[in-house]
């Protein structure tokens, strides 16, 4: 009888160990390195206008930085940048079947948008341009940013979203006033607030990169970044999402097991 009881106890203990082993296996971090699929979409900053290599602006630099991580084997980008795109036009493009198909497969979607919205305000109000003019347009801009993020989330509920803010080259071309910095900062604050209302969504500020003293970062048109500007832009994106944010953006597909890169 004692042998029977001992056998039962042993069986229960072994079963418990097996359950614990299964539980550990279920909660273990995914194997590394992993491939990550990224859709970059938006305006000329995504297309890479000003990039002397014509390889997609910030994209190749960010690809290199991501693949320097031990946890990432390959970062595959699909680029849907289109020069001149504004928020309303991007919303319309998100209806295209090809774009939707790639977003559905994406782990992360990176967006650059908004600069041309500011340009539109400038062009349409050239003779009577004031800070109030931009303030009146803020709500509509924020609503359109919300729609962009909402549409992407509807296409892929699991993808992380990275929204890159706008910067201020406008004083070089359009507005000779100290108010232009405040205008860009305010529009970025509204976009960041919208991004914060979505899960798995990160806002990346780049306005300080292209601020005062950044003449060497611009293409000859004095509006778009040059190669160095795009490299710094990629670095800011990488620094913002690396670590815990990347884990969240990829739904733990990428789990950072150390602090550094290769």
């Amino acid at each position: 009888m004692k042998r029977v009881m001992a056998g039962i106890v042993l069986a229960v203990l072994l079963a418990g160990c097996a359950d614990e082993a299964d539980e550990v296996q279920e909660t273990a971090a995914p194997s590394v390195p992993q491939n990550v699929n990224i859709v970059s979409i938006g305006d000329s900053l995504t297309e890479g206008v000003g990039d002397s290599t014509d390889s997609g602006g910030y994209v190749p630099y960010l690809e290199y930085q991501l693949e320097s991580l031990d946890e990432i084997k390959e970062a595959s980008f699909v680029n849907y940048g289109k020069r001149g795109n504004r928020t309303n036009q991007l919303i319309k493009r998100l209806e295209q079947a090809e774009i939707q198909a790639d977003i559905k497969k994406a782990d992360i979607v990176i967006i650059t948008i908004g600069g041309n919205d500011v340009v539109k305000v400038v062009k349409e109000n050239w003779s009577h341009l004031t800070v109030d003019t931009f303030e009146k347009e803020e709500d509509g801009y924020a609503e359109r940013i919300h729609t962009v993020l909402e549409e992407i989330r509807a296409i892929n509920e699991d993808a992380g979203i990275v929204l890159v803010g706008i910067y201020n080259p406008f004083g070089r071309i359009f507005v000779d006033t100290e108010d232009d910095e405040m205008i860009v900062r305010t529009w970025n604050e509204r976009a960041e607030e919208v991004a914060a209302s979505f899960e798995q969504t990160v806002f990346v500020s780049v306005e300080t990169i292209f601020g005062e003293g950044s003449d060497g970062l611009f293409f000859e048109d004095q509006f778009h970044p040059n190669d160095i500007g795009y490299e710094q832009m990629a670095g800011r994106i990488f620094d913002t999402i690396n670590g815990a944010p990347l884990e969240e953006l990829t739904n733990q597909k990428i789990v950072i097991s150390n602090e550094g890169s290769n």
Side-chain angles (χ1 to χ4, degrees):
M1 186 65 174
K2 288 182 179 180
R3 290 182 179 178
V4 173
M5 290 299 297
I8 294 173
V9 171
L10 180 60
V12 170
L13 290 174
L14 289 174
C17 291
D19 290 342
E20 289 177 8
D22 290 342
E23 184 177 347
V24 170
Q25 187 173 1
E26 290 175 1
T27 59
S31 59
V32 293
Q34 296 280 330
N35 294 329
V36 59
N37 298 315
I38 301 171
V39 169
S40 55
I41 191 167
D43 51 25
S44 55
L45 297 183
T46 296
E47 182 179 332
V49 175
D51 169 16
S52 68
T53 66
D54 196 28
S55 56
Y58 74 86
V59 168
Y61 300 106
L62 182 58
E63 178 183 357
Y64 174 80
Q65 290 174 304
L66 287 171
E67 290 180 350
S68 74
L69 295 173
D70 293 334
E71 293 78 11
I72 293 181
K73 180 179 180 181
E74 182 178 358
S76 300
F77 281 80
V78 180
N79 192 321
Y80 285 109
K82 187 172 183 181
R83 184 172 191 164
N85 249 200
R86 299 189 300 273
T87 47
N88 62 314
Q89 295 168 320
L90 178 56
I91 292 168
K92 193 69 177 176
R93 290 180 66 209
L94 288 170
E95 298 175 2
Q96 297 178 16
E98 180 184 7
I99 292 177
Q100 290 193 5
D102 281 323
I103 290 177
K104 285 178 181 178
K105 295 182 290 186
D107 298 303
I108 300 174
V109 179
I110 303 177
I111 310 160
T112 65
I113 201 70
N116 294 303
D117 291 66
V118 177
V119 171
K120 183 173 184 289
V121 176
V122 173
K123 289 182 176 180
E124 292 181 350
N125 300 276
W126 180 257
S127 62
H128 53 281
L129 195 63
T130 65
V131 173
D132 290 341
T133 308
F134 289 94
E135 290 178 346
K136 291 176 182 177
E137 296 293 331
E138 280 179 22
D139 287 341
Y141 173 67
E143 289 172 5
R144 293 190 298 275
I145 288 291
H146 188 280
T147 300
V148 168
L149 301 184
E150 191 173 49
E151 290 298 316
I152 291 173
R153 179 61 70 236
I155 297 169
N156 186 335
E157 62 181 13
D158 296 320
I161 302 174
V162 177
L163 175 63
V164 180
I166 61 176
Y167 60 85
N168 177 37
F170 308 111
R172 302 163 179 269
I173 304 172
F174 299 120
V175 189
D176 186 17
T177 170
E178 295 179 358
D179 294 327
D180 54 346
E181 296 286 349
M182 183 190 69
I183 290 165
V184 169
R185 184 164 54 253
T186 302
W187 279 46
N188 275 331
E189 288 171 354
R190 294 298 301 275
E192 186 171 10
E193 289 172 3
V194 173
S197 68
F198 286 81
E199 294 183 355
Q200 275 184 265
T201 303
V202 173
F203 179 84
V204 178
S205 174
V206 296
E207 65 180 282
T208 56
I209 296 176
F210 301 102
E212 187 176 351
S214 62
D215 292 356
L217 302 182
F218 283 93
F219 182 55
E220 60 189 21
D221 63 5
Q222 292 300 300
F223 189 88
H224 296 94
N226 59 19
D227 295 353
I228 300 173
Y230 278 121
E231 184 176 15
Q232 292 202 18
M233 182 177 167
R236 180 63 57 83
I237 296 171
F238 178 76
D239 289 343
T240 303
I241 69 173
N242 189 24
L246 185 59
E247 294 181 350
E248 181 180 358
L249 287 168
T250 61
N251 266 326
Q252 305 297 311
K253 176 181 180 181
I254 305 300
V255 176
I256 304 299
S257 57
N258 56 59
E259 296 181 355
S261 58
N262 290 335

